[in-house]
């Protein structure tokens, strides 16, 4: 089961990407929420099994609000309110992910990456400011919400990168790439919605988004497993 659900997730992601450009609209419609549903089925039992505590609750909460964000955005073409609800859901997910990424399994006292390598922080913040500046004149009444969301996802990416050397390499790289893909996906989505239609936008948005959530979920489960192993090792050394 440890590898089964992630494997099924990737298969459903491929199916969703393919169905979005075929005469299978029903499959595209139902496969999108199924993606986050599968990740929740992977994360919740893992959080319980490994007694992940607050970290597990936060990650599962982020996945839950992401699921609702997906559902709301599926109906945005019929009701503009759904876009705002979707944006709000993803904003909550970003905040929750950010808090979760600060709860690392510290095994040493490495200097935080964004303090040790300042250019990383400059690059991430610089991109966030640059992209927002590119689209701000097209946002009209959405400038406030989009500004807040840009701030939230930028901080989320920084906190994901700040886990460097505080967790296992496997957990770090999964979540780091996941967070980066999340920002890439939202950038494409924003450009496509507010500025100019992007060719093959469905594939580019959903591929980066799908890999983003996969990386965050799998990397988080890896951290849960590592933390449980460390607790067991510590308990054994005290006997």
């Amino acid at each position: 089961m440890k590898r089964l659900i992630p494997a099924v997730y990737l298969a459903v992601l491929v199916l969703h990407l393919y169905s979005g450009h075929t005469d299978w609209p029903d499959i595209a419609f139902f496969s999108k929420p199924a993606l986050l549903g599968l990740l929740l089925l992977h994360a919740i039992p893992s959080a319980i099994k490994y007694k992940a505590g607050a970290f597990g609750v936060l990650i599962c909460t982020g996945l839950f609000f992401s699921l609702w964000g997906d559902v709301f955005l599926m109906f945005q073409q019929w009701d503009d309110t759904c876009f705002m609800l979707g944006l709000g859901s993803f904003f909550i997910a970003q905040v929750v992910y950010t808090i979760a990424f600060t709860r690392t399994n510290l095994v040493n006292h490495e200097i935080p990456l964004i303090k040790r390598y300042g250019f990383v922080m400059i690059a991430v913040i610089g991109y966030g400011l640059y992209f927002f500046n590119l689209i701000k004149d097209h946002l009209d009444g959405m400038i406030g919400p989009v500004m807040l969301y840009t701030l939230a996802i930028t901080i989320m990416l920084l906190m994901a990168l700040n886990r460097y050397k505080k967790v296992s390499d496997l957990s770090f790289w999964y979540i780091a790439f996941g967070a980066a893909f999340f920002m890439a996906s939202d950038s494409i989505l924003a450009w496509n919605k507010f500025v100019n239609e992007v060719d093959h936008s469905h594939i580019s948005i959903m591929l980066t988004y799908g890999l983003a959530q996969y990386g965050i979920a799998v990397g988080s489960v890896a951290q849960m497993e590592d933390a449980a192993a460390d607790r067991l090792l510590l308990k054994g050394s005290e006997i």
Side-chain angles (χ1 to χ4, degrees):
M1 289 297 292
K2 179 181 177 181
R3 294 184 177 87
L4 177 60
I5 293 180
V8 173
Y9 173 89
L10 292 175
V12 173
L13 176 59
V14 171
L15 178 64
H16 177 76
L17 294 173
Y18 180 74
S19 62
H21 285 272
T22 64
D23 294 327
W24 301 348
D26 290 342
I27 293 179
F29 184 84
F30 288 106
S31 58
K32 185 175 183 180
L35 291 169
L36 268 295
L38 284 166
L39 291 183
L40 281 167
L41 286 177
H42 181 55
I44 293 174
S46 298
I48 296 172
K49 176 182 178 180
Y50 298 122
K51 299 179 181 178
F55 177 79
V57 171
L58 288 166
I59 291 300
C60 292
T61 301
L63 292 171
F64 176 78
F65 277 99
S66 294
L67 171 59
W68 276 106
D70 284 340
V71 172
F72 285 130
L73 292 185
M74 287 166 60
F75 297 98
Q76 63 175 312
Q77 57 186 329
W78 295 294
D79 188 348
D80 290 340
T81 304
C82 287
F83 179 77
M84 288 299 299
L85 291 172
L87 186 67
S89 296
F90 279 116
F91 176 81
I92 294 172
Q94 302 300 345
V95 171
V96 172
Y97 282 152
T98 299
I99 297 171
F101 297 158
T102 65
R103 304 181 69 89
T104 55
N105 177 30
L106 288 171
V107 293
N108 53 44
H109 298 284
E110 285 281 338
I111 299 173
L113 181 138
I114 59 175
K115 183 176 181 180
R116 187 174 184 179
Y117 302 106
F119 67 89
V120 174
M121 180 170 62
I122 293 172
V124 173
I125 294 176
Y127 173 78
L129 290 172
Y130 173 73
F131 185 79
F132 181 76
N133 186 62
L134 283 179
I135 67 171
K136 65 180 176 63
D137 291 336
H138 302 270
L139 297 176
D140 297 325
M142 289 293 296
I143 191 167
V146 173
M147 181 188 295
L148 283 175
Y149 186 83
T150 302
L151 178 63
I153 196 169
T154 300
I155 295 174
M156 186 275 289
L157 176 55
L158 283 173
M159 291 302 100
L161 296 174
N162 209 42
R163 299 168 69 253
Y164 184 65
K165 295 301 182 183
K166 295 181 179 180
V167 294
S168 68
D169 288 345
L170 179 68
S171 178
F172 169 77
W173 286 112
Y174 264 116
I175 287 181
F177 278 115
F181 275 127
F182 217 137
M183 180 168 259
S185 177
D186 283 343
S187 297
I188 300 169
L189 187 152
W191 190 270
N192 185 70
K193 181 173 181 63
F194 297 114
V195 182
N196 194 29
E197 187 173 342
V198 177
D199 292 337
H200 309 295
S201 60
H202 173 76
I203 290 179
S204 55
I205 292 170
M206 284 306 301
L207 177 60
T208 49
Y209 173 73
L211 293 176
Q213 295 285 18
Y214 177 86
I216 289 172
V218 173
S220 296
V221 169
Q223 179 175 324
M224 297 175 198
E225 187 175 6
D226 292 339
D230 285 351
R231 289 196 300 271
L232 187 63
L233 184 64
L234 180 61
K235 184 178 180 179
S237 66
E238 291 174 348
I239 297 177

